[in-house]
Structures are given as C-alpha cells and as structure tokens.
Amino acid sequence: MAVTVPTRYAADRLWTPQGWVSDAVLAIDDGGMLADIGTGEGERLGRWVLPGMPNLHSHAFQRAMAGLAERKGKSDDSFWTWRETMYAFAATVGPDELQAIAAQLYMEMVKSGYTQVCEFHYLHHQPDGTPYAQPEAMSLALIEAAREAGIALTLLPVLYMSGGFDGRPLAPRQRRFGHDVPGYLRLLESLRKHESERVRVGIALHSLRAVPEEALQAVLADNAAKACPIHIHIAEQIGEVQDCLATRGARPVEWLFDHAAVDARWTLIHATHLSDKETVQIARSGAVAGLCPTTEANLGDGLFPLASFIDAGGTLGIGSDSHISVSPVEELRWLEYGQRLATRHRNIAARRQDDSVGETLWKAALRGGAVASGLPIGELRAKARADLLVLDDRAPLLAARDERSVIDSFLFAGNTPLVRDVVVGGEWIVRGFTHRDEDRIAARYRSVMQRLAQQH
C-alpha cells in the first residue's frame, strides 16, 4: 500500500495564539489537515502566515441587496423599516439565484480572509410558502455555492414559526421561512446526509420572538442537538427586549438561560442589549457572543459591552451578517472603534498594559469562530484543518513592520487588501489576490442581478 507523503510549506513567520513562530514548516496531509508543524524544507509561503478566520454569521442572499436600503423613508428609519426592504428582496430569490449570489459572496469572503462561514439560512420555501419539489433545494444551493467558492460551510437551517412574542402567525411575506417542528427536524435529517470534511450542519433558532417555548424545547430534546452548534438571534434591538419583558416577564438572554442549558454549543448572535448580569452569564457559560459590527452599525442596533465581556472571560467571534461589508479587518476594526467612540478612550480590547489590540481581537475571533462552527479550525496546529492566509509582504503598509506590529498594521493601517493567498483545507483557493474561479462566478452573479433588477 502506497504511503502518502504530506505536502510541506515553509513560513518565515507563523502566527499562533502563543505568538509568532519563526521558520515553521507545515506538513499538510491529503485530507487537508495539518499533520505536523516543525522545521526543515518546504515550498515557501511568505513572510507572514496567519490562520484563516471563521465567519460565524451570514445571510447570504442579503449580499445582493447591500446598498438598496440607504434612502430616507417616510418615518424614522430603523431595523424594522429595513426589514421590510429585506422581505421584498427575499421574495425574488430562488435556488438558482441563491446559488449565484452565495457563490459570489463566498468568493469575496475567501479573498478577504474568511475560510469558514456559518450560514444562518431561513429562505426554505417558495415565496408563497409552498415547499419546493425538493424541500431542501435552497439549502443545497448554499452547499453547492460553498463548494464553488472553496469555503468551508457550517449550514444552520433556521426554525422560524411565529411573527412575534405573542405567537401570531407568520405574515404572508414571512411564510417562506416557516416550518413546524417535525418538518424542521426532517430537514435537518436530510441535510446531515450531505455533511463532509467541508460541510457541517447545525441548528438555528431564529429568535425567541419567532420560536415558541414548546418548539424550542422540542428541538433541544432531539438527539442531534446534543452534539451540534446551536445559533440564535437575541437581544439585537431594544424593542425586542421590551417585547420580551412584556410577554415573558424577563429580558431575552435572562429568559433563555432560565429555560435552556446554554453552554459552549450555543452562539448568541448580536446580544447587543445586555444587563450586567446577562453579560457575566454569557461569559461564564462558554457560549459565543456572535458580533457583527458593520451590520449592527448599519442597522442602528447599538454597541455590545465589549470590555465587560472580555473582563468576564467571555468568548466572542465575528460575522458579516447582511454583508454591507465582507471583511474580517473591518469587522474587528469597527468592533474596537465603536467602543472608542462610546468611551472616548483608545485601545479598549487590550485589557492589559502593552497588549496588542490587533492580536487580542484576532485571537478572540479565531477562537470564538471555531467554537461557533463546531470544527477543529481557527488555529494552525497538528490535527486542525489547514486553513491559512498569507499576507502580502511586498505591501507598503507592512513595510518595516515586525512581529509586535504586523497584525495591528493589518487591521488598523489602511484599506489596501493585504491577504495575498488563501488555503482552505490544504487547497489553494486564492493566489496572488485572484480566486481560482473568479471570472465565471462574477459573470454569473452579474447576469442574475440584472435579471432580478428587471423584476422590480
């Protein structure tokens, strides 16, 4: 029997949670996993090599409507008025359109440094709520789009049952999102047949307002829920907190902790409006706070209590959510900048003297994104998936930078793209800033967008 010899790549500087390692050689096996990190000879990668970043929250179809909700409406604009624009756009997207949009988005993600995406997916049915002939058609479109783009996928089909905390039925524009619990569990079972080294299936509960308590408990009692990621939107808007208090007698995060065993399986998306007690509860539970700073800013959500959460030992990750920006650099930059604007101080994420803000945020987002994805990623070590980024060591923005300053410069020194090459699961996806299938994916996306524009 032939023995496969791992492919070997040499990095001048390799970033690990413990710091930079010099002259490291990565041995990648034929399954795309890191077999070993040592010394010796190998194909040179570059001067600065980082782990790929997980994107823990995505609504892929919304990439195609970015920029279409930026005109003043008749009333005070808010998340709730933006949502109406989103509903109207969602009604135009079928499986073919979704695949084209998601492939373009996922290509953009990989080029920016994301190597894994958690897709919070609720466009299940046809616009009138009728199931497709193949009930999982929209989910399969996302799986195929991820394959085309070369990104790894944690697919999170969403349970969405009611139109508010009062349990009212879904409005006509929401019907394509809906499942009952048996139908949702059948969808999960069907999609798990498509799991692979690059595809993981988890659970998404849209929100407490969209999932009644009995349904939440029924899904959590399913055996699959005990071993897979669980994601939920929570406490994103003040109105949501007020409605939860009025109908359930508790704040959203408070209610969730009283009714579910929240632990490291859970990712709480946004969690923007927290009491001090809730902040500590999330941190101590091991649950991930899924932060999406560019979308939260675009929608006027508010600011997460970052300093208190870090001080309590909390785990956080980042997502691009509505994709008005597709860049881990911008998410982390604005996570920090929002705190600076609110406190009128600098270097908020770095809690100890001489700590690097950039390294603190990059390390935290890698760890939280890996937990949220439910996979051995986010770190370049033996038995982890070989997802890595090579920065452009010829870029003027990185000139004369050393190990103390390179990640801070990557995140805070400008807007020139610095991710030159990307490997996902041991496979080259981006080389020299160019995606392996960029022209075809972009051409199809343009064609689909022109067709959708004619429907409005």
Side-chain angles (χ1 to χ4, degrees), residues 133-137 139-140 143 155 157 179 182-195 199 201 222 224:
Q134 186 175 22
E136 66 272 34
S139 295
L140 296 179
I143 292 173
L155 181 60
H179 275 106
Y184 179 70
L185 294 178
R186 286 194 299 272
L187 176 64
L188 291 177
E189 183 178 6
S190 173
L191 291 175
R192 289 193 187 103
K193 299 173 184 176
H194 298 274
E195 287 190 317
V199 178
V201 176
D222 187 72

Side-chain angles (χ1 to χ4, degrees), residues 49-283:
V49 179
L50 308 175
M53 179 61 67
N55 183 331
L56 58 62
H57 193 61
S58 166
H59 304 297
F61 77 94
Q62 293 179 17
R63 179 69 184 100
M65 62 168 281
L68 298 181
E70 307 301 326
R71 287 183 176 270
K72 184 69 175 176
K74 293 180 181 179
S75 59
D76 288 340
D77 285 330
S78 67
F79 166 83
W80 307 103
T81 54
W82 169 89
R83 192 173 71 159
E84 295 305 314
T85 302
M86 181 271 288
Y87 285 153
F89 185 83
T92 68
V93 177
D96 291 343
E97 291 81 12
L98 182 60
Q99 182 175 333
I101 293 167
Q104 174 67 27
L105 167 67
Y106 295 162
M107 177 183 71
E108 294 173 8
M109 284 187 187
V110 177
K111 291 183 67 177
S112 75
Y114 290 120
T115 50
Q116 176 85 26
V117 59
C118 297
E119 183 61 42
F120 198 101
H121 168 56
Y122 53 81
L123 294 188
H124 298 305
H125 309 306
Q126 297 182 66
D128 64 356
T130 304
Y132 287 98
Q134 186 175 22
E136 66 272 34
M138 294 291 274
S139 295
L140 296 179
L142 291 165
I143 292 173
E144 182 59 21
R147 185 199 63 77
E148 288 185 84
I151 199 168
L153 174 69
T154 298
L155 181 60
L156 301 164
V158 173
L159 179 62
Y160 199 131
M161 296 180 66
S162 59
F165 282 103
D166 57 4
R168 61 183 178 271
L170 297 178
R173 63 190 183 279
Q174 297 171 314
R175 285 175 185 159
R176 74 179 309 186
F177 311 158
H179 275 106
D180 58 17
V181 171
Y184 179 70
L185 294 178
R186 286 194 299 272
L187 176 64
L188 291 177
E189 183 178 6
S190 173
L191 291 175
R192 289 193 187 103
K193 299 173 184 176
H194 298 274
E195 287 190 317
S196 66
E197 294 82 1
R198 299 282 188 93
V199 178
R200 179 82 195 275
V201 176
I203 288 170
L205 307 168
H206 181 272
S207 56
L208 294 182
R209 69 178 183 273
V211 179
E213 179 182 355
E214 297 80 5
L216 181 147
Q217 299 297 348
V219 171
L220 296 182
D222 187 72
N223 285 332
K226 297 175 174 59
C228 74
I230 304 169
H231 290 223
I232 186 171
H233 290 133
I234 199 161
E236 179 179 2
Q237 288 281 325
I238 291 175
E240 175 192 347
V241 176
Q242 294 170 337
D243 287 349
C244 193
L245 279 165
T247 58
R248 299 194 182 183
R251 299 169 60 86
V253 170
E254 177 187 16
W255 187 93
L256 182 66
F257 273 81
D258 286 344
H259 292 82
V262 179
D263 55 21
R265 293 172 300 159
W266 287 77
T267 296
L268 308 188
I269 302 299
H270 304 304
T272 307
H273 300 286
L274 302 176
S275 67
D276 292 343
K277 177 184 175 182
E278 289 170 324
T279 302
V280 172
Q281 274 185 309
I282 297 173

Side-chain angles (χ1 to χ4, degrees), residues 383-397:
K383 297 184 180 179
R385 199 174 65 212
D387 296 350
L388 56 93
L389 319 177
V390 183
L391 301 186
D392 180 17
D393 49 26
R394 293 175 56 85
L397 292 180

Side-chain angles (χ1 to χ4, degrees), residues 15 20 50 356 358-359 362 403 405-412:
W15 191 82
W20 289 98
L50 308 175
S356 155
E359 291 203 21
W362 192 261
E403 294 176 356
S405 59
V406 67
I407 293 186
D408 287 332
S409 297
F410 174 37
L411 297 185
F412 295 103

